[in-house]
Amino acid sequence: MIEVEIKQEGKVRTVMLEHDEIVIGRRNEMREVQLDLTPDESVSRVHARAWLAGDKLFLEDLGSSSGSHVNGEGLVAAMEIFPDTEVMLGGTKLIFRKPLSVHRRGGVPQNKPKLGRPRPGALPNRPMGSEHSGSNADAVDEGRPIKGIHIDLTTDAGQEELVFDLDEIFVGRKHPEQEIHVDLSSDLKVSRIHARIWRTRRICWVEDLSSTHGTSVNGEALAGARVVNPDDEVRIGGSVMRFRYENGHMAMPKRKSETPAVPATQEDNDCAFEALDSYPVYKEESYRYFVPGYRKKTDLESVLKSRKSPMGRIRPVAHRAMCETGDFKGEGIDVFLDSLPKIICEVNQLTDLKAVADWFVSNVQQWLPNAKRAAIFCIDSDSERFALVAYQPSFKPVVSDSLVHRALETKAGYSWRQVDKNECVRRLSVHSGIYVPLLNKGKELGFVCVENTGKDHEFFEWELDALMLVALMISPQIRLNVVED
């Protein structure tokens, strides 16, 4: 609870706020404001925040236009506020006080991480470098890694390893409405809900949640979400973390049914088409093609920033390297397997690019019934663009050329689905799809795509495998037409 005395337009009033953290500003639709200083228009909509940390009260400016002033000096960083401190936000004077009830609670936490303390949803911690011990048979099995998201955490208090048998965890400071798994309450540069970490298969992702001071990966500010490898250094406030995921089993040779990690031809840290949680989608006649070797962030940053607003966003669901093969098992696979001899015969009879493109878009639904729309793009080396060669039905496809370049860069096929409404208000006419690059003897030729408009539809992994197999079949004929040896 925070008590605030407000002096505004010659009037004085006192409010009691039943919160340990408050946002101060003016009533707005973008963010909830606990302390509304309307009608002072010199106060920004989201101006500052104040919060309790143990028995101390802190204030931080949130990038307001007129700034925050403490005892006449501009506030440049979060600082402790005392009962006799005079705070000016715009033309409003504030005095913050903590009610006696705060001091009488007893046992008020100091919000400092305690090494070795199990957190909600986490498995027992152990000192770094030591062996696991304990009686929990599910968590401990000699010679077998503990299942879950592993975090090697380094703070001012020391080092520890945290293990969470969860698919998603949050980093921040104690929050009344959101469970915080990695609690860094002693660090004022950490926002209440600072970052999210989750895993897809054996891959860990990290996303900054619009924190005040940001999140960096290997010294680079994080914008959105990205994959983090075990040796990547993630910095949040004054803490350094490394993430990895263990499935709880001993290392074994990969089965063909598993989706392999896709090798990149450039360091992901330097490639403009890095792994992201979601990608923008556009609808154009053609798309710019960036040749291999010229896909660095430094080369393309200004180009990609200048693009118009996307029509929506899509999220990768599965990917498969072109050099890998699947098990070809799953619901509906018999249709494709029965059609395979006919597909091989028909592809062998195709003689030119137009014939290949027309055959693909006209026949794909016969052996991939969920492919309600299909298109094929080829690279025009003269204009350095992806040209739309053929498509069916009469609706041009929506394309994420960023994900297409990612597919070419990693030599992998990707299946995807449209993000949820709460992530992007712009809705696409299609819900799911597959992009597969056209490659032959190391040459990038273009890509094929299929789409489905079903609201809850997602393509099976065997459908991704099947489309990749057909793409490998038709690529030699396409090369003869678009690439001179």
Side-chain angles (χ1 to χ4, degrees):
M1 182 181 294
I2 301 174
E3 179 182 345
V4 188
E5 179 184 293
I6 306 169
K7 186 173 183 180
Q8 192 178 56
E9 297 181 341
K11 298 179 181 180
V12 179
R13 60 189 174 99
T14 300
V15 297
M16 301 285 291
L17 299 168
E18 296 284 345
H19 302 276
D20 288 338
E21 178 178 16
I22 60 173
V23 174
I24 309 165
R26 290 186 293 127
R27 193 179 304 114
N28 68 89
E29 298 178 354
M30 300 300 295
R31 183 170 178 179
E32 182 182 3
V33 173
Q34 287 78 34
L35 183 56
D36 182 8
L37 300 183
T38 305
D40 187 349
E41 294 190 357
S42 60
V43 174
S44 295
R45 296 284 184 182
V46 180
H47 196 111
R49 70 184 178 106
W51 68 95
L52 290 169
D55 60 352
K56 297 180 180 181
L57 179 71
F58 293 88
L59 180 73
E60 178 181 38
D61 187 85
L62 296 177
S64 63
S65 57
S66 60
S68 304
H69 295 79
V70 178
N71 292 333
E73 295 185 5
L75 183 64
V76 295
M79 68 174 293
E80 184 176 358
I81 303 298
F82 299 95
D84 58 349
T85 301
E86 182 181 285
V87 176
M88 288 294 297
L89 304 186
T92 302
K93 181 190 296 184
L94 305 176
I95 300 292
F96 291 87
R97 298 188 180 92
K98 292 167 292 182
L100 290 176
S101 59
V102 173
H103 301 289
R104 290 175 180 169
R105 289 177 193 165
V108 176
Q110 296 302 309
N111 292 322
K112 295 181 180 179
K114 298 178 181 179
L115 301 186
R117 173 173 59 88
R119 292 179 171 84
L123 300 177
N125 302 327
R126 64 179 176 87
M128 294 179 67
S130 66
E131 296 298 324
H132 293 289
S133 61
S135 59
N136 190 333
D138 292 331
V140 181
D141 191 349
E142 185 175 355
R144 176 179 296 177
I146 295 180
K147 178 182 178 182
I149 298 175
H150 291 237
I151 306 176
D152 293 336
L153 172 64
T154 302
T155 67
D156 291 340
Q159 293 181 324
E160 61 177 325
E161 181 183 20
L162 308 178
V163 182
F164 298 90
D165 192 8
L166 300 168
D167 291 333
E168 178 183 63
I169 61 176
F170 290 86
V171 180
R173 296 186 292 120
K174 188 174 297 183
H175 194 282
E177 299 177 358
Q178 171 65 53
E179 181 178 7
I180 299 299
H181 305 88
V182 182
D183 185 0
L184 303 176
S185 292
S186 62
D187 190 340
L188 298 183
K189 289 188 176 181
V190 176
S191 296
R192 293 287 178 177
I193 308 176
H194 195 111
R196 177 170 74 109
I197 293 90
W198 73 100
R199 65 102 178 178
T200 54
R201 295 183 176 85
R202 298 178 182 178
I203 302 172
C204 282
W205 295 76
V206 63
E207 177 184 26
D208 184 83
L209 299 176
S210 301
S211 64
T212 302
H213 297 285
T215 302
S216 67
V217 180
N218 298 326
E220 181 181 349
L222 180 64
R226 62 165 289 174
V227 170
V228 284
N229 298 309
D231 56 346
D232 287 335
E233 183 177 280
V234 179
R235 182 173 292 274
I236 295 177
S239 300
V240 175
M241 306 178 195
R242 287 182 170 83
F243 301 96
R244 70 183 187 279
Y245 179 77
E246 299 286 357
N247 65 2
H249 298 284
M250 297 295 290
M252 297 178 65
K254 266 183 191 171
R255 296 175 299 170
K256 290 182 179 180
S257 59
E258 292 179 334
T259 301
V262 179
T265 57
Q266 290 185 17
E267 287 292 330
D268 256 3
N269 289 342
D270 195 36
C271 181
F273 304 106
E274 60 188 335
L276 299 175
D277 179 50
S278 64
Y279 293 82
V281 171
Y282 303 89
K283 191 171 186 178
E284 301 175 6
E285 291 285 345
S286 64
Y287 299 85
R288 187 168 177 177
Y289 168 65
F290 301 97
V291 299
Y294 293 90
R295 294 171 180 165
K296 295 182 179 180
K297 292 178 181 178
T298 51
D299 299 328
L300 304 180
E301 183 177 10
S302 60
V303 175
L304 298 178
K305 279 186 176 181
S306 64
R307 296 203 65 172
K308 64 182 182 181
S309 299
M311 295 187 61
R313 298 191 72 86
I314 61 175
R315 171 169 290 117
V317 175
H319 62 255
R320 181 90 73 197
M322 296 294 288
C323 60
E324 297 286 335
T325 57
D327 281 343
F328 286 101
K329 294 180 180 178
E331 181 183 347
I333 185 65
D334 291 344
V335 174
F336 174 73
L337 294 178
D338 291 343
S339 302
L340 192 54
K342 180 181 178 182
I343 294 172
I344 295 172
C345 291
E346 291 178 348
V347 169
N348 287 335
Q349 296 174 15
L350 301 174
T351 57
D352 57 55
L353 175 59
K354 187 177 186 308
V356 172
D358 289 343
W359 173 86
F360 174 77
V361 300
S362 301
N363 291 276
V364 64
Q365 196 172 357
Q366 296 179 17
W367 36 271
L368 241 82
N370 287 320
K372 305 303 182 184
R373 300 181 183 182
I376 183 167
F377 288 79
C378 289
I379 297 168
D380 183 339
S381 56
D382 293 332
S383 63
E384 291 190 346
R385 298 188 70 84
F386 292 109
L388 181 56
V389 180
Y391 59 95
Q392 279 195 9
S394 57
F395 303 101
K396 292 184 177 66
V398 294
V399 173
S400 172
D401 52 330
S402 296
L403 183 54
V404 168
H405 276 94
R406 176 74 184 164
L408 289 168
E409 183 70 17
T410 59
K411 295 179 174 56
Y414 283 81
S415 62
W416 52 265
R417 63 176 175 82
Q418 182 175 197
V419 300
D420 297 332
K421 289 182 180 179
N422 60 339
E423 298 177 77
C424 183
V425 295
R426 295 187 177 186
R427 309 311 294 163
L428 302 171
S429 59
V430 295
H431 183 77
S432 58
I434 300 176
Y435 297 147
V436 172
L438 294 169
L439 306 165
N440 184 252
K441 297 182 179 180
K443 297 288 186 180
E444 296 180 352
L445 308 173
F447 66 96
V448 296
C449 65
V450 297
E451 299 169 339
N452 188 290
T453 57
K455 182 179 178 181
D456 299 316
H457 178 268
E458 285 188 11
F459 282 95
F460 295 108
E461 287 197 23
W462 75 259
E463 293 174 294
L464 171 61
D465 292 329
L467 196 59
M468 288 169 53
L469 180 58
V470 173
L472 291 172
M473 292 182 193
I474 65 177
S475 290
Q477 282 90 331
I478 293 175
R479 175 174 175 159
L480 292 174
N481 288 272
V482 301
V483 177
E484 293 184 4
D485 291 313

